[in-house]
Amino acid sequence: MFDKQKILDKLKNHKPYINGYESMRRASVYIPLVRKDGEVYILFEVRAKTLKHGPSEISFPGGGIEKGETPLEAAIRETGEEIGSYVSDLNVIGELDLLITPVRYIIHPFVGYLDNIEHLKLNKDEVDHVFMVPIKYFLENPPQIYFNTVKTTPDKKLPFDIIPGKENYKFEEGKSSVFFYRYKDYVIWGITAKILYNFLEFFKD
């Protein structure tokens, strides 16, 4: 039997997320802030050269969210697995905006302090080395910004006969920003740079 009230109660208690997330890949990252000599630095990873995905790229610690795991739990777990930090040394400040990529990734970024960096023991299968950059440097050296065009390639099996315009229907194109930060011999770009840019926006005022 159709129970309208039951459906409305379910909707009332619903916590909105991302429409279609079930078919997307979900991941979390942790932006580690390190206090040193009166300044705050951001710690980055350089991914191992042997990795299949993104070898030698610069990233934040992070990875896929496992079943039954919250995004924050995933960020903390992955940070421990990759750079060997203790959970007690990760002091979470807050969460940044969700990042939805054109290739079906939902990324939950978290920011927090990383204490006792002398405890770190890098997982060399995933991380070649780490380096730190003062936040002040990024505020004084804004990124170069470019824009990729994102196009829709329609499935040839679409029922074009019931679509206005049929095969000539004009699917919209989009723009995806690409940020590049340079620090010494390092180039920070892609997803990592987008998350970094979002974090640095909090310092504008």
Side-chain angles (χ1 to χ4, degrees):
M1 181 178 176
F2 179 74
D3 189 335
K4 180 176 70 175
Q5 190 57 48
K6 185 176 181 180
I7 293 174
L8 293 176
D9 288 343
K10 188 174 182 181
L11 179 61
K12 183 179 178 181
N13 297 318
H14 174 66
K15 293 183 179 180
Y17 190 47
I18 308 297
N19 188 325
Y21 78 91
E22 298 91 345
S23 63
M24 301 177 76
R25 295 171 287 183
R26 301 172 67 231
S28 291
V29 299
Y30 188 79
I31 302 177
L33 306 180
V34 178
R35 288 168 281 213
K36 179 183 176 184
D37 301 329
E39 279 199 78
V40 178
Y41 291 70
I42 302 175
L43 182 141
F44 296 89
E45 296 179 347
V46 177
R47 293 165 59 83
K49 299 180 180 67
T50 54
L51 289 173
K52 291 182 179 179
H53 177 69
S56 301
E57 296 276 7
I58 294 170
S59 68
F60 295 118
I65 300 172
E66 296 181 352
K67 188 175 181 179
E69 194 175 43
T70 68
L72 178 56
E73 288 170 344
I76 291 174
R77 173 183 55 76
E78 288 283 351
T79 302
E81 290 176 1
E82 292 178 9
I83 63 175
S85 59
Y86 294 116
V87 172
S88 59
D89 289 333
L90 299 177
N91 297 299
V92 180
I93 298 170
E95 185 173 5
L96 298 177
D97 297 328
L98 290 176
L99 176 61
I100 313 299
T101 76
V103 289
R104 300 190 303 111
Y105 253 114
I106 303 171
I107 301 176
H108 293 253
F110 295 88
V111 180
Y113 284 106
L114 171 60
D115 299 324
N116 301 316
I117 59 172
E118 64 273 11
H119 291 170
L120 300 186
K121 186 177 180 181
L122 305 184
N123 178 352
K124 287 296 187 176
D125 289 335
E126 296 189 51
V127 182
D128 185 82
H129 65 279
V130 298
F131 66 97
M132 299 191 302
V133 183
I135 289 179
K136 182 180 178 181
Y137 172 85
F138 291 120
L139 299 178
E140 295 174 348
N141 296 274
Q144 294 174 291
I145 306 175
Y146 301 87
F147 295 91
N148 286 334
T149 299
V150 180
K151 295 183 178 182
T152 297
T153 303
D155 187 334
K156 293 181 180 179
K157 295 180 181 179
L158 284 181
F160 288 103
D161 58 307
I162 59 174
I163 298 175
K166 304 187 183 306
E167 286 84 354
N168 295 319
Y169 183 84
K170 302 297 183 183
F171 289 90
E172 289 191 23
E173 295 183 358
K175 295 289 184 181
S176 178
S177 54
V178 187
F179 298 86
F180 289 83
Y181 291 92
R182 295 177 183 272
Y183 178 73
K184 297 182 178 179
D185 293 332
Y186 297 108
V187 177
I188 302 164
W189 75 293
I191 288 174
T192 302
K194 267 197 169 182
I195 294 171
L196 175 62
Y197 184 85
N198 181 226
F199 171 57
L200 295 172
E201 286 288 281
F202 287 90
F203 293 87
K204 273 195 169 181
D205 297 329

